[in-house]
Amino acid sequence: MTSNGTPENDIPRRTVMARVGAVGLTAALASAGLPAAAALPAEEEAAPVADDAARRAKGWHRYVQAPSSRTVRPARIAATSGEVDNAEALLKPGAAATVLRRPRAAAAPRWPDGTTAEASSAHAGNNGNDGQPRTYDAANAIDGNPDTFWNDDTVGAFPDTLTILLPQTMQLPGVTVVSNSDGVPTTFTVEVWRDGAWQTAATVVDNDVIQKAVPFTSPVTTDRVRITVTAVQDTPRGAFTRINEVWPAPVDPIPVPSVTVDFGKVVVGYPRINFTSASDNSPGVRLAFSETRQFLTDRSDFTRSDQAGGTGQGTDQFAVPATGADWTDHKGFQSGDKVFADGLHGFRYLRIALDALATDAPAAQPWGEVEIDSVALQFTGYLGTPSTYRGWFLCSDEELNRYWYGASYTNELVTDTFRQDDVDPRGAWSAGLEGKLVLHDGAKRDRDPYVGDLAVSARTLYLTHDDTAEAARNVLADLAAHQRSDGWIPPASISNYTLPLFDYPLYWVTCSWDYVLYTGDTSYAARHHPNLVKVLDTWYPGVTDDAGLLRKGLNGTGGYGDYAFLGRTGQVTYYNALYVQALRAGARLARLLGRGSDAERWTARADKVAQAVNALLWDAAAGAYLDSTTGPVRHAQDGNALAVVTGIADADRAASALAHLDATTRRPYGNAFMDNDTLFDQASQRVYAFTSYSEIEARFLTGRAASALDQIRRTYGWMDQNDPGITHWEGIGPGGSLYEGAYTSMAHGWSTGVLPALTHHLLGARPTSPGYATWEIRPQPGDVDWATGQLPTPHGPLRVEWDNGDQAFRLTAHVPAHTRGSVSFPGDAHRQSVRAGRQTLWDGRRASTRGVEVTGGVITVSDLGPGSHGFVCERLGQHRSVWRTAQDEPSSPSGEEGS
């Protein structure tokens, strides 16, 4: 605190400026506890620098989301059930133990010998989740084994009926329906056969429990019982009716004692529980993990064992010895083939229950008593503390700051070591990646490094923690090493590098250029140029038609998927716009290596493809690019946005295409990726932040900062404000839901495009040649009052700070050694002047010195070398409201990074 009670992190501007007047700028900043800025040309330029320094004192550190250490403890108790003592003690290691207690249940009632069961349908037998043969016949519902169940064979279609036939009449006070955690019957009736007809004995609605006691109003004597199910919970395993057991009496379950802890945000790693003691019957503890409260049940929302048909049945289990144990949840079996743990998890909520699967007896029992001292997580993602950030961002908009650091944290969760026990189990392990740092696609579920994700997540990584660039390089180099002889590059290691995707080899090219652009690692470019040649000159020409466009379906590619496994074929705008982007990226890499003929060939081909896209895929009636020339007419976000970003669209087409997306895809939770539902049901309600990044870029690149910020606030605001908060989702579905239910990853690196968008376009700084040898600063403030930030370069930090004041736009750039660049100012050049110190560089009509030019109405000062450069861009006779309107006037796209 200051002497007058003002917090030190909120020092008023007047205080800093008073110190400037008394002791000079550098000393003033130091006395305020702020980093010193390089001297500016004249005293009048000190104000914006001191202003920004004071704002920086408010601290970007407070937005950082990563834990302070590898040991992460829960933030709060979210819920309890059953007999639990001292639940809050789990938050205070070393305090009195938390106790879970459950008595042994009586034996379940049985039907008389000779009882049989019939059903309206039954799913065919298969190998089940554990790889062992299973049946799903009606008889499983009365066999006394809760591990077997009847599963109907009409997914999502009702009614489903189960009829129980007794050998003679018996008196029934009611029944108990024991269902399955993969989706319980929510609405059903119980009928009994009396007086030659079926009579309703009970009706159940809104059921959400596995063991449902259904008492009758009065006991009934009958020899037949029929259960008719008309609704069930929809789960990742489908909307089937599943009934494990029906008992001939209403039996209320003994509540399962459980504690649900909330870690406050999604975390990733190995759970650890310290059990101090237990009863001597090997009581079982089952753990269920979820990224959201919505999908937290007695099983995890989705695990890697679910992907592989594992034996864990969606939970991790441990049989607690009487002496207690300090247990870390690593993948494997505790005893033979019983009591399974799945290991690493990505989750926010953890439910700890005293329970056990019937099939795990006697190794683990669902009753007894356990004492727990503490719960924690061994965090495995990248630990992004303030000291590790080499790049950062801060602006006057609190929400944008949250989204930027939420993106960084999301990406940190997926920046992790490739480990055999923790990656996607569907043939994704690779000896060449084992033990290496990689960028996975998500924190939970199918953890594997996909190159398409890198198109966004690698940029997020380069702009935050430059010491982890190896994570991107490791993935790119590994995929290049597995290139097919025909030039196709696999999208990931999954399915032993064979997953057939049509678009992802193009992302390998664009991501390779990004890697070299941000890091300056030319040795990578030289080593992998042969891979580049094969993918661009062998594989993609093999799927090119006579018009010069990629056509999915040629050369056996009809069954190939893409980033969303969409059933698109023929000439698709997205594939071809991405092809143009890849050809131009390849040409830049070739020029870097002095391979002029490759660069010329790919540039010429890119121009030809761009012309064909405009000639064949532009829909003049809609004013937008078609999704495909095959099938119903629709217009997609991915193709239209990339056509703008790559410059395929001229200014008029760019304006029209973006206006079409505004008119047809705008949702409260972002912009949908299709303008109608002809590709699949509710496609026009689905939002992918992955493809939204290109649209946000397109809006910034064409001078539409206001609409770019609006889209950011809707898309990322929705994810930030809804459970689990902070992290960015794999996809958003109708009404803002999780687009694939519990299967959805709520922390996905490919959704972090808000971070590079804000750094490169709002703050305005980005590299234009490898290793930031050259760069540009082109801010687009929109309605943001001020911004400051730093980009990590191989030569040191490139720092920018600007103030969007009432009458002037003030900007300072701190430039590292061995780099040169340019600064462009927002607004109409003919309505403003630009000064550097006391020198007027532009007076509204003409420049006073070389290196200052006006292109498309934008003032640019070029050839700025190392050191600090301060500028004041004054509005000539304009009020701020007029200035705000003028600066958001559309312009032509300025091209991709590094153009």
Side-chain angles (χ1 to χ4, degrees), residues 105-194:
R110 298 292 302 272
W111 296 97
D113 290 343
T115 300
T116 60
E118 300 172 350
S120 53
S121 68
H123 197 287
N126 57 27
N127 285 335
N129 294 337
D130 56 6
Q132 300 301 314
R134 298 192 72 134
T135 63
Y136 302 99
D137 301 330
N140 291 337
I142 58 169
D143 65 358
N145 181 358
D147 189 47
T148 64
F149 55 92
W150 164 57
N151 196 127
D152 87 285
D153 199 33
T154 57
V155 60
F158 302 96
D160 300 323
T161 60
L162 173 71
T163 305
I164 301 170
L165 307 169
L166 285 70
Q168 64 273 330
T169 60
M170 70 176 293
Q171 190 178 67
L172 291 177
V175 297
T176 300
V177 176
V178 181
S179 55
N180 195 290
S181 59
D182 283 326
V184 304
T186 55
T187 303
F188 60 92
T189 59
V190 181
E191 298 169 286
V192 295
W193 185 262
R194 294 182 66 188

Side-chain angles (χ1 to χ4, degrees), residues 413-481:
L413 292 172
V414 303
T415 306
D416 206 341
T417 302
F418 190 96
R419 293 175 293 262
Q420 186 169 11
D421 281 347
D422 302 337
V423 299
D424 191 307
R426 297 171 297 176
W429 182 74
S430 171
L433 283 176
E434 180 69 20
K436 292 182 179 179
L437 192 68
V438 299
L439 279 162
H440 289 297
D441 71 324
K444 73 165 187 181
R445 205 190 72 218
D446 49 337
R447 291 170 56 87
D448 198 23
Y450 284 81
V451 71
D453 297 46
L454 262 63
V456 179
S457 63
R459 287 186 181 184
T460 298
L461 183 146
Y462 302 141
L463 292 170
T464 51
H465 309 293
D466 63 345
D467 57 325
T468 56
E470 65 175 296
R473 179 180 175 130
N474 287 339
V475 176
L476 294 169
D478 177 70
L479 297 177

Side-chain angles (χ1 to χ4, degrees), residues 1 88 129 223 314 350 367 373 431 515 555 601 625 693 816 839-840 843 846:
M1 303 288 286
E88 293 290 332
N129 294 337
D223 64 353
L350 165 59
W367 58 277
D373 174 65
Y515 171 75
N555 200 18
R601 181 173 66 258
Y625 291 94
Y693 171 48
Q839 181 182 12
T840 298
D843 65 4
R846 63 179 64 87

Side-chain angles (χ1 to χ4, degrees), residues 804-809 826-833 842 844 857 859 873-889:
N804 194 21
D806 289 339
Q807 294 299 321
F809 182 85
D828 184 348
H830 301 291
R831 299 180 185 178
Q832 58 195 16
S833 65
W842 173 261
I859 307 167
C873 181
E874 292 184 307
R875 293 98 198 217
L876 301 176
Q878 298 179 79
H879 294 293
R880 184 170 188 172
S881 60
V882 177
W883 163 252
R884 288 289 174 119
T885 302
Q887 70 164 326
D888 204 39
E889 291 176 352

Side-chain angles (χ1 to χ4, degrees), residues 368-513:
E369 180 178 296
V370 296
E371 291 190 356
I372 305 174
D373 174 65
S374 62
V375 177
L377 175 88
Q378 180 186 333
F379 189 85
T380 61
Y382 182 81
L383 201 61
T385 61
S387 64
T388 69
Y389 275 81
R390 302 293 179 264
W392 49 267
F393 171 86
L394 191 66
C395 75
S396 58
D397 190 311
E398 291 281 315
E399 293 179 352
L400 297 181
N401 294 335
R402 286 205 312 274
Y403 308 157
W404 197 96
Y405 289 92
S408 181
Y409 179 60
T410 300
N411 218 48
E412 290 158 13
L413 292 172
V414 303
T415 306
D416 206 341
T417 302
F418 190 96
R419 293 175 293 262
Q420 186 169 11
D421 281 347
D422 302 337
V423 299
D424 191 307
R426 297 171 297 176
W429 182 74
S430 171
L433 283 176
E434 180 69 20
K436 292 182 179 179
L437 192 68
V438 299
L439 279 162
H440 289 297
D441 71 324
K444 73 165 187 181
R445 205 190 72 218
D446 49 337
R447 291 170 56 87
D448 198 23
Y450 284 81
V451 71
D453 297 46
L454 262 63
V456 179
S457 63
R459 287 186 181 184
T460 298
L461 183 146
Y462 302 141
L463 292 170
T464 51
H465 309 293
D466 63 345
D467 57 325
T468 56
E470 65 175 296
R473 179 180 175 130
N474 287 339
V475 176
L476 294 169
D478 177 70
L479 297 177
H482 289 85
Q483 186 175 33
R484 270 188 341 213
S485 59
D486 64 357
W488 180 83
I489 292 178
S493 59
I494 189 171
S495 301
N496 297 310
Y497 297 93
T498 64
L499 181 67
L501 298 187
F502 191 82
D503 52 341
Y504 273 35
L506 295 171
Y507 282 121
W508 181 88
V509 178
T510 62
C511 290
S512 291
W513 166 245

